[in-house]
């Protein structure tokens, strides 16, 4: 609770800590300095000036030991210390890679305060982290037998999601507790069952609560959001993947609500439909003493006119979850080991709800980029990775059709190569026909300079690129793959999916005749370059390997 007696020693401790995990090779991307120092007499007995000195010595030492790890704070319980930390970091040239805060109840004041502090910081790569969250305020709501233990906690969790999803500049959210803090030491005695009970796991029995089951259902949702329109009190979110559609509905009211759910434009005509519920009769350990999440029904279905309809009731403060699968066991987030991720770099030119943004899902190696409400905005994301394939397959979808507004439109991928010396020495840009070569959009990472090589892939929708062939002679094996978008039109979006072409992911071999004109389907060589009139050899056409004989 007290500030260090010796700040130099405090710095050495932090340096050793960061160096230890770097040497071990662990994926330690963030180090947060202190926990709720503004909650005085609980986690910290010093002043804000004491904390700022703690941050100064820690951040310098951490950066010296590991230049790649992100360091930040203050993990504030309140919202008053963020700007002081920003001002101190700027005035003393300290690393500050993220602002972090905690929220219990409504998160909006904390989110807005962190966003405001980041605007003041002026670092377009800095991140916003909510490192503790629960919609329940500690006290009567979080004690034993309180609402956080009951089925309604699942509804409360889902009800908080739309707020978080609306903050596109929010990078990470941690739930407050995984296992209940069931006992509290008051200073004299250990008080049984007086601690916060907001964990997903019951601290006494190890049973999975309704909260755990809510997280499990959310984990069964793909990432590609789809529109959900409700004309009743029932709320919901929906998403899809190939062969998989999921809808989560919740009833925030104190009375039962009837519903009719219609899912239109299904990407498959038949499959398996599963329905799950969490309410005071099922899916909640507190009420039923059964912690299993079992489907209420699992039936084969056949879609009529490309749609599926289900009707029924949702109990008061209950949750209903529907998933439609083309085949039993379909994955909402199919694992795709394209490369090993070491860190992620982000750039936002503005920080509002309408700002451009880019999102990366590491499990599936899918990237989403959007200009959101802006016409002149820019967004960049870089993935530092190694253990790469020699050849990568890139599939890109855009919606709506991207506009090439003017000679400042930029829509491209970039690969920065690291040499064995640790510095980045070469950059290659891949682009298509919606890209202007008259402008540049160089990230601050990698070489941070104009590309050494620029390759036109044609329509930029499906192509291969030989990473190894374009690498410098002293290539270390590490690259930064970046996704860059600027001035492509309001609401313009792109979705990238990267796979290992040298493992044959979805690529079949077919034979074809030699095309006799450049009006034939687009062909690409194995370096990702468009070839208008290929001769004998191996090329890529429509995402497939083609042997021209």
């Amino acid at each position: 609770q007290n500030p260090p007696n010796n700040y130099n020693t405090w710095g050495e401790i932090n340096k050793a800590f960061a160096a230890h995990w770097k040497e071990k090779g662990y994926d330690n991307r963030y180090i947060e300095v202190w926990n709720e120092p503004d909650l005085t007499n609980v986690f910290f007995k010093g002043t804000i000036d004491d904390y700022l000195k703690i941050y100064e010595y820690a951040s310098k030492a951490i950066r010296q030991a590991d230049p790649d790890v992100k360091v930040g704070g203050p993990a504030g319980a309140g919202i008053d210390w963020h700007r002081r930390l920003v001002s101190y970091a700027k005035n003393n040239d300290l690393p500050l890679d993220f602002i972090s805060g905690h929220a219990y109840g409504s998160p909006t004041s904390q989110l807005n305060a962190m966003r405001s502090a980041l605007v003041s910081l002026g670092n377009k790569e800095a991140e916003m982290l909510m490192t503790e969250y629960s919609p329940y305020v500690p006290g009567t709501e979080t004690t034993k037998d309180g609402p956080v233990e009951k089925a309604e906690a699942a509804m409360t969790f889902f009800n908080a999601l739309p707020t978080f999803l609306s903050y596109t500049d929010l990078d990470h959210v941690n739930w407050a507790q995984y296992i209940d803090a069931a006992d509290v030491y008051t200073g004299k005695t250990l008080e049984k069952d007086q601690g916060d009970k907001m964990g997903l796991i019951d601290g006494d029995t190890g049973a999975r609560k309704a909260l755990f089951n809510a997280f499990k259902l959310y984990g069964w949702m793909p990432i590609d959001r789809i529109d959900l329109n409700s004309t009743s009190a029932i709320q919901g979110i929906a998403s899809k993947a190939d062969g998989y559609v999921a809808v989560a509905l919740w009833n925030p009211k104190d009375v039962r609500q009837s519903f009719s759910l219609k899912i239109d434009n299904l990407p498959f005509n038949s499959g398996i439909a599963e329905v799950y519920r969490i309410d005071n009769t099922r899916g909640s350990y507190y009420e039923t003493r059964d912690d299993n999440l079992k489907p209420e029904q699992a039936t084969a279905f056949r879609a009529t006119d490309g749609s599926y309809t289900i009707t029924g009731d949702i109990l008061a403060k209950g949750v209903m979850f529907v998933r439609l699968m083309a085949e039993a066991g379909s994955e909402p987030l199919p694992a795709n080991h394209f490369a090993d991720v070491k860190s992620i770099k982000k750039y936002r030119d503005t920080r509002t709800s309408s700002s451009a943004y880019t999102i990366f899902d590491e499990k599936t190696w899918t990237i989403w980029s959007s200009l959101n409400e802006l016409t002149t905005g820019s967004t960049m994301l870089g993935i530092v990775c190694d253990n790469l394939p020699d050849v990568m397959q890139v599939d890109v979808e855009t919606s709506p059709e991207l506009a090439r507004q003017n000679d400042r439109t930029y829509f491209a991928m970039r690969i920065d190569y690291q040499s064995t010396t640790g510095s980045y020495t070469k950059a290659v840009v891949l682009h298509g026909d919606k890209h202007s070569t008259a402008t540049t959009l160089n990230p601050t990472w990698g070489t941070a300079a104009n590309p050494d090589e620029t390759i036109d892939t044609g329509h930029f929708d499906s192509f291969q690129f030989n990473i190894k062939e374009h690498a410098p002679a002293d290539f270390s094996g590490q690259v930064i793959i970046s996704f860059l978008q600027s001035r492509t039109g309001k609401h313009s979006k792109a979705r990238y999916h990267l796979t290992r072409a040298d493992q044959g992911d979805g690529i079949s071999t077919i034979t074809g005749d030699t095309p006799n004109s450049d009006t034939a389907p687009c062909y690409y060589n194995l370096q990702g370059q468009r070839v208008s009139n290929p001769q004998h050899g191996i090329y890529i056409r429509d995402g497939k390997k083609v042997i021209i004989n």
Side-chain angles (χ1 to χ4, degrees), residues 37-234:
D38 53 346
L39 203 59
T40 53
N41 291 320
V42 179
F43 295 110
F44 190 55
K45 290 185 176 180
T47 66
I48 187 170
D49 292 322
D50 293 324
Y51 169 71
L52 294 175
K53 195 171 181 181
I54 284 173
Y55 185 85
E56 176 181 358
Y57 278 77
S59 61
K60 286 181 177 178
I62 292 166
R63 177 66 85 243
Q64 184 179 358
D66 187 350
D68 296 322
V69 74
K70 296 173 183 177
V71 58
I79 62 176
D80 297 329
W81 286 29
H82 302 335
R83 280 186 173 264
R84 283 289 304 275
L85 175 57
V86 164
S87 177
Y88 192 81
K90 289 174 68 174
N91 292 337
N92 293 276
D93 195 26
L94 303 179
L96 183 57
D97 301 310
F98 62 85
I99 291 290
S100 61
H102 301 166
Y104 292 82
S106 172
T108 53
S109 61
Q110 182 64 270
L111 292 169
N112 291 337
M114 290 193 291
R115 176 184 279 172
S116 177
L118 288 165
V119 170
S120 176
L121 178 63
N123 179 1
K124 297 182 184 298
E125 297 176 31
E127 298 183 24
M128 182 198 303
L129 309 182
M130 180 73 80
T131 50
E132 277 184 34
Y133 176 70
S134 170
Y136 293 102
V137 179
T140 56
E141 292 183 326
T142 62
T143 56
K144 187 174 177 61
D145 301 325
V148 73
E149 294 218 273
K150 301 176 182 178
E152 67 180 80
M155 180 280 299
T156 309
F157 161 73
F158 274 105
N159 205 42
L161 291 177
T163 296
F164 285 119
L165 292 170
S166 70
Y167 282 78
T168 56
D169 52 340
L170 174 62
D171 296 285
H172 196 80
V173 181
N174 277 18
W175 190 257
Q177 295 178 14
Y178 183 67
I179 300 176
D180 289 339
D183 305 324
V184 171
Y185 182 67
T186 64
K188 294 182 181 179
T189 60
L190 192 66
E191 302 292 340
K192 183 71 173 173
D193 290 331
Q194 296 304 306
D196 289 330
K197 304 289 287 186
M198 65 185 72
L200 313 185
I201 303 294
D202 184 272
D204 294 322
T205 66
R208 297 161 293 188
K209 297 192 207 175
L211 265 176
F212 182 99
N213 286 337
F215 269 82
K216 188 171 185 177
L217 291 178
Y218 187 54
W220 286 352
M221 297 194 75
I223 296 175
D224 285 323
R225 296 270 304 277
I226 52 180
D227 289 337
L228 188 148
N229 300 308
S230 176
T231 58
S232 72
I234 292 174

Side-chain angles (χ1 to χ4, degrees), residues 359-435:
I359 296 171
F360 169 53
D361 178 57
E362 187 172 332
K363 183 179 179 182
T364 62
W365 266 88
T366 309
I367 299 91
W368 294 262
S369 180
S370 173
L371 285 200
N372 206 350
E373 297 289 331
L374 303 182
T375 57
T376 60
S378 299
T379 177
M380 293 184 278
L381 180 141
I383 305 168
V384 183
C385 53
D386 56 16
N387 190 22
L388 296 143
D390 289 348
V391 181
M392 68 175 175
Q393 170 71 31
V394 182
D395 294 293
V396 187
E397 300 175 11
T398 57
S399 174
E401 183 69 19
L402 300 192
R404 180 171 171 176
Q405 291 183 315
N406 50 42
D407 61 2
R408 297 181 65 186
T409 294
Y410 205 96
F411 180 51
M413 284 178 60
R414 173 172 168 142
I415 296 90
D416 286 81
Y417 291 89
Q418 186 193 62
S419 72
T420 53
T421 64
S423 59
Y424 289 87
T425 58
K426 181 180 180 180
V428 178
V429 162
L430 311 173
H431 69 83
D433 56 354
K434 293 296 188 293
H435 174 83

Side-chain angles (χ1 to χ4, degrees), residues 270-420:
S270 61
I272 305 297
E274 291 185 344
V275 178
Y276 295 81
R277 294 178 184 269
I278 302 175
D279 52 44
N280 58 17
T281 68
R282 60 216 134 176
S284 178
Y285 176 74
Y286 182 88
E287 286 90 351
T288 67
R289 286 298 180 260
D290 181 1
D291 67 350
N292 285 323
L293 184 64
K294 299 183 286 287
E296 178 189 60
Q297 64 184 66
T299 58
F301 77 92
R302 184 168 295 279
T304 303
D305 298 326
S307 67
Y308 179 84
T309 301
I310 179 173
T311 60
D313 296 322
I314 303 179
L315 297 187
K317 295 186 177 180
V319 172
M320 189 193 77
F321 184 88
V322 180
R323 63 174 178 173
L324 307 179
M325 300 175 288
E327 297 178 359
S330 295
E331 284 284 340
L333 300 167
N336 167 33
H337 182 248
F338 172 76
D340 293 341
V341 178
K342 302 188 72 174
S343 65
I344 301 169
K345 299 179 180 293
K346 300 178 181 180
Y347 171 94
R348 302 176 178 90
D349 57 359
T350 57
R351 294 181 185 273
T352 68
S353 296
S354 60
S355 296
Y357 62 90
T358 310
I359 296 171
F360 169 53
D361 178 57
E362 187 172 332
K363 183 179 179 182
T364 62
W365 266 88
T366 309
I367 299 91
W368 294 262
S369 180
S370 173
L371 285 200
N372 206 350
E373 297 289 331
L374 303 182
T375 57
T376 60
S378 299
T379 177
M380 293 184 278
L381 180 141
I383 305 168
V384 183
C385 53
D386 56 16
N387 190 22
L388 296 143
D390 289 348
V391 181
M392 68 175 175
Q393 170 71 31
V394 182
D395 294 293
V396 187
E397 300 175 11
T398 57
S399 174
E401 183 69 19
L402 300 192
R404 180 171 171 176
Q405 291 183 315
N406 50 42
D407 61 2
R408 297 181 65 186
T409 294
Y410 205 96
F411 180 51
M413 284 178 60
R414 173 172 168 142
I415 296 90
D416 286 81
Y417 291 89
Q418 186 193 62
S419 72
T420 53

Side-chain angles (χ1 to χ4, degrees), residues 391 393 464 466 469 501 507-515 522-531 533-549:
V391 181
Q393 170 71 31
Q464 291 193 350
N466 193 313
E469 186 172 290
I507 299 176
S508 60
T509 301
I510 60 177
T511 60
D513 296 327
T514 305
C522 296
Y523 290 78
Y524 302 87
N525 61 25
L526 294 185
Q527 288 71 52
Q529 298 165 320
R530 186 172 178 177
V531 181
N533 190 15
Q535 302 302 311
H536 302 296
I538 301 175
Y539 300 90
I540 305 300
R541 187 187 73 197
D542 298 329
K544 297 180 179 179
K545 189 179 293 184
V546 180
I547 301 175
I548 302 297
N549 53 29

Side-chain angles (χ1 to χ4, degrees), residues 29-43:
R29 297 179 191 170
Y30 301 95
I31 296 181
E32 187 178 40
V33 179
W34 222 264
N35 174 69
E36 298 184 352
D38 53 346
L39 203 59
T40 53
N41 291 320
V42 179
F43 295 110

